[in-house]
Amino acid sequence: MTTIRLTAAQAMARYMTLQMVRMDNGDIMPLFAGIWAIFGHGNVAGLGEAFYNIQDKLPTYRGHNEQTMAHAAIAYSKSLNRKRVMAVTSSIGPGATNMVTAAALAHVNRLPVLFLIGEVFANRRPDPVLQQIEDFYDPTITANDAFRPVSKYWDRITRPEQLLTSLPRAMAVLTDAAECGPVTLSLCQDVQAEAYDYPEEFFIKYIWEHRRMRPDITELEHAAACLMQATQPLIIAGGGVIYSGASKILSDFAKRHAIPVAETQAGKSALPWDHPLNVGSIGVTGSDAANMLAKNADVILGIGTRMQDFTSGSRALFSKANRIIIQLNITVFDGKKHGAKPLICDAREGVKELSQAIGNYTSSQSWREYTKSLISDWAMARDIVITATDSALPSDAQVLAIVNASLNENAIIVAAAGGIPGELHKLWRASKINSYHVEYGYSCMGYEIAAGLGIKMAHPNSDVVVAIGDGSYMMANSELATSVMLGHKIILVILDNRGFGCINRLQISCGNKPFNNLLDDTLHDKASNINFVKHAESLGAAAEKVISLDQLGKAMTRAIAANISYVIVIDTDPMISTKIGGAWWDVAVPEISENKNIRAMRNKYEQARNKQRLGN
């Protein structure tokens, strides 16, 4: 056997450059698009040397925070429907634990990212090393064990030859539709630098094919039989529709069988907003059209959705007696949620075969007419919301409507947490498939700006617009500077409501008084006076503040024309959110309280909770 002597870090770097992937159009591309790195003790000597020598094949980018670098990597992959991947490396210690949040985000959203994390010495000779977390009773436990519950595959490399088995397994997880998620390789720093005679055949170029699982015949027959009996069916499109590239198939399916389609946060833009059967968002942040159909549907066909509580109205939305749920999903784990009948398969292939199985079936004429009227009613209700003029400051909805109207169909909107995702889910009109990028599985504040950068790297010819609140901006803004440094222009619209407006509204709705959410309701010696324009300019971006919706529209024109990252700041009313639409959300209210408002809200809570369907 012919071998080549390399350090473990060099072997890993070489192996990564040889992993290829076949895209949906047949093109063969490198699986890894780049590496995000902040070097420190634990990765600078081993991985740093190895990555330096492959820069011509695999670029290394430096960010300003380990968590946000990872967010950029995750967003890059999501925007390419999980077809390509980025890696992220950090040192031992706080550099590593900074990324646990990002790993959790990727895990919840089933998104691939490779974490290459510095680790303690396998030989323990200098034990304990700088930044080492010591377990007093188990010396094998380190801070990197925190990644175990938020990784789909986790391994600690304590010998260089372990890469021969661990790397192929890691790649298999990153490229598998069902197993897809974060992979963590914890790399002992002495092992990174240790040499080993690796077989040359380990470094043969490999092309990963994205497997398309077709439905089981029996499950397909059961699903078809249920659907053909339905008079009032509803489709819920999740992120799996987009990841699978199933949008065209879904559009044809909905038209052929006259079935309305509601969209989750991850599934929004699976169909263009003006598709005749797109009834808008579903659930807690849903449209009246989608939620009324969900309440009355006798068969609900979920396609590529995790069916989380925001989608199901905390299991209270699908309330018609004897209704049936079919879960067409790539994972068994999701396929049986809510007592559903599983149809385990790829979304594109599954929808295609289900259409063949039900033949010329269509929903009832009355259901089709009801759907059409609900869509029309919702369009009128939306117009009223975005043109309301009864507040001194604009609402988030009004701001986002102006942004929406300013963009062409190739633009991509990005958001993550607070009240903005709810307004976007209800009201944003996505004209093009996969033009809506809202992370709402983990609802992670601080994702937005880094995500915008990652998306721009994946789609350099699209305008990428990040809608972000002042709270999220203050949590994680450093990758705005990175976007300027790398020449990847993004547009930020900062909706400044002076605090955490969304949670303040939730707090009040649960019967409590405003407390510790808006800046004016916190302990402080001086009133907050943050100048977001100057801050953004100090990071290298162009920036301006506007004081009206008319000014916002003109500023968007300037932002789109600019050649560097551009920030627009506008004050918004923290108390206004869109009242129309939406379903109940289970937020537990204290059972005992001296506050009479809380006691009253507890009574309402208990009444609402009685509508939940548990298990089924």
Side-chain angles (χ1 to χ4, degrees):
M1 179 177 64
T2 306
T3 61
I4 180 170
R5 192 162 181 80
L6 298 168
T7 68
Q10 291 163 357
M12 173 173 291
R14 179 175 294 200
Y15 185 87
M16 289 172 65
T17 65
L18 294 166
Q19 306 309 299
M20 313 300 288
V21 63
R22 192 184 307 278
M23 305 296 282
D24 283 343
N25 63 4
D27 290 348
I28 295 174
M29 301 281 289
L31 175 62
F32 289 96
I35 303 160
W36 286 96
I38 291 180
F39 291 126
H41 110 85
N43 71 338
V44 68
L47 288 174
E49 186 271 345
F51 292 151
Y52 176 84
N53 292 315
I54 61 165
Q55 294 179 76
D56 59 329
K57 300 181 181 69
L58 189 56
T60 295
Y61 305 102
R62 208 216 79 168
H64 289 84
N65 179 284
E66 291 87 357
Q67 181 185 136
T68 50
M69 286 193 317
H71 288 162
I74 293 163
Y76 176 94
S77 183
K78 179 180 179 179
S79 71
L80 291 177
N81 298 340
R82 311 191 300 182
K83 298 300 187 288
R84 299 188 70 198
V85 183
M86 283 183 157
V88 190
T89 183
S90 78
S91 65
I92 180 177
T97 52
N98 276 350
M99 298 193 296
V100 174
T101 294
L105 181 149
H107 194 288
V108 167
N109 291 287
R110 321 290 165 81
L111 297 171
V113 59
L114 176 61
F115 292 103
L116 304 174
I117 306 176
E119 181 58 282
V120 301
F121 279 68
N123 62 30
R124 301 186 190 170
R125 292 177 67 176
D127 185 68
V129 298
L130 177 67
Q131 299 180 330
Q132 179 176 346
I133 300 293
E134 295 180 89
D135 187 287
F136 291 5
Y137 306 102
D138 186 349
T140 67
I141 291 177
T142 75
N144 290 349
D145 286 273
F147 284 85
R148 287 179 182 266
V150 290
S151 297
K152 294 300 290 286
Y153 180 78
W154 185 99
D155 195 6
R156 176 175 286 121
I157 305 301
T158 59
R159 293 292 308 143
E161 60 267 34
Q162 290 172 352
L163 293 178
L164 294 171
T165 53
S166 191
L167 281 177
R169 290 172 182 171
M171 300 305 121
V173 170
L174 292 171
T175 57
D176 184 81
E179 295 298 320
C180 186
V183 168
T184 300
L185 298 182
S186 184
L187 304 161
C188 291
Q189 54 188 291
D190 52 336
V191 176
Q192 291 179 39
E194 187 175 342
Y196 180 78
D197 294 318
Y198 289 93
E200 275 196 349
E201 63 186 23
F202 186 60
F203 302 108
I204 296 174
K205 186 176 290 187
Y206 187 84
I207 301 172
W208 292 92
E209 309 278 356
H210 288 284
R211 186 181 302 109
R212 290 194 178 275
M213 187 187 303
R214 286 166 173 76
D216 172 79
I217 293 175
T218 302
E219 288 187 350
L220 180 64
E221 289 175 347
H222 288 168
C226 290
L227 196 53
M228 291 176 71
Q229 294 175 6
T231 58
Q232 299 175 179
L234 174 68
I235 294 169
I236 299 177
V241 173
I242 295 174
Y243 300 151
S244 175
S247 292
K248 174 70 165 60
I249 296 292
L250 174 60
S251 174
D252 294 343
F253 181 90
K255 289 178 180 177
R256 179 182 179 187
H257 304 294
I259 304 177
V261 179
E263 296 175 321
T264 69
Q265 281 280 15
K268 190 174 172 78
S269 77
L271 298 178
W273 74 270
D274 55 355
H275 186 286
L277 287 161
N278 188 344
V279 296
S281 54
I282 186 79
V284 176
T285 52
S287 72
D288 281 337
N291 287 343
M292 286 301 294
L293 292 170
K295 290 176 183 178
N296 291 289
D298 52 9
V299 173
I300 295 163
L301 172 60
I303 304 176
T305 172
R306 296 187 306 121
M307 205 66 87
Q308 58 127 309
D309 65 339
F310 255 62
T311 300
S312 70
S314 296
R315 293 180 177 261
L317 181 56
F318 314 137
S319 55
K320 186 175 177 65
N322 302 316
R323 60 95 177 99
I324 294 171
I325 296 176
I326 302 166
Q327 270 282 70
L328 192 162
N329 203 286
I330 197 66
T331 70
V332 175
F333 184 85
D334 291 319
K336 279 296 292 176
K337 286 178 179 174
H338 296 265
K341 297 182 182 299
L343 184 56
I344 308 304
C345 56
D346 170 75
R348 192 182 76 182
E349 301 305 316
V351 173
K352 188 188 303 180
E353 294 197 24
L354 183 59
S355 185
Q356 294 172 352
I358 63 177
N360 294 323
Y361 161 83
T362 61
S363 67
S364 66
Q365 180 65 32
S366 61
W367 188 245
R368 298 200 292 271
E369 292 173 357
Y370 183 47
T371 297
K372 188 175 180 179
S373 68
L374 287 174
I375 292 173
S376 177
D377 291 346
W378 177 252
M380 289 188 288
R382 176 190 180 275
D383 289 343
I384 293 172
V385 166
I386 65 175
T387 56
T389 58
D390 54 355
S391 175
L393 290 175
S395 67
D396 290 351
Q398 291 171 315
V399 169
L400 295 171
I402 296 294
V403 174
N404 200 170
S406 302
L407 301 175
N408 63 38
E409 66 172 13
N410 291 319
I412 300 171
I413 186 69
V414 186
I420 292 172
E423 303 290 28
L424 288 172
H425 196 207
K426 285 183 182 181
L427 306 173
W428 190 265
R429 287 180 166 174
S431 298
K432 191 173 182 179
I433 295 166
N434 212 3
S435 62
Y436 180 92
H437 187 118
V438 173
E439 189 288 300
Y440 212 60
Y442 207 48
S443 184
C444 184
M445 295 180 71
Y447 174 79
E448 299 94 328
I449 297 173
L453 171 57
I455 295 163
K456 185 66 175 182
M457 295 172 78
H459 301 278
N461 296 322
S462 294
D463 289 320
V464 176
V465 179
V466 177
I468 184 170
D470 56 299
S472 273
Y473 181 89
M474 290 298 291
M475 278 193 179
N477 52 58
S478 58
E479 304 315 338
L480 175 59
T482 310
S483 76
V484 175
M485 292 167 59
L486 293 177
H488 293 298
K489 174 201 159 186
I490 58 176
I491 299 171
L492 267 62
V493 180
I494 302 176
L495 292 81
D496 183 4
N497 61 20
R498 294 152 304 286
F500 303 144
C502 174
I503 295 301
N504 182 65
R505 294 191 298 270
L506 179 62
Q507 187 174 55
I508 293 170
S509 72
C510 290
N512 213 339
K513 295 180 180 179
F515 172 60
N516 204 51
N517 285 310
L518 296 184
L519 292 171
D520 288 343
D521 298 323
T522 63
L523 288 176
H524 57 268
D525 291 328
K526 295 181 180 179
S528 173
N529 185 27
I530 302 165
N531 191 322
F532 292 105
V533 170
K534 287 185 177 180
H535 184 270
E537 289 174 338
S538 76
L539 297 180
E544 63 175 295
K545 183 169 183 175
V546 299
I547 60 172
S548 70
L549 295 174
D550 180 61
Q551 287 186 9
L552 174 62
K554 294 173 182 176
M556 282 298 300
T557 300
R558 291 189 289 271
I560 292 167
N563 58 11
I564 61 171
S565 291
Y566 203 101
V567 176
I568 302 170
V569 183
I570 184 169
D571 291 341
T572 59
D573 192 319
M575 299 307 297
I576 301 176
S577 64
T578 300
K579 302 300 182 186
I580 59 170
W584 178 69
W585 186 31
D586 191 340
V587 178
V589 178
E591 191 169 1
I592 298 173
S593 176
E594 295 179 357
N595 184 326
K596 65 179 182 180
N597 292 331
I598 292 178
R599 294 197 300 270
M601 292 309 301
R602 176 69 191 193
N603 290 333
K604 291 183 178 180
Y605 171 71
E606 290 177 353
Q607 293 172 17
R609 198 170 59 172
N610 289 333
K611 298 177 182 179
Q612 285 178 307
R613 299 179 64 151
L614 303 180
N616 190 17

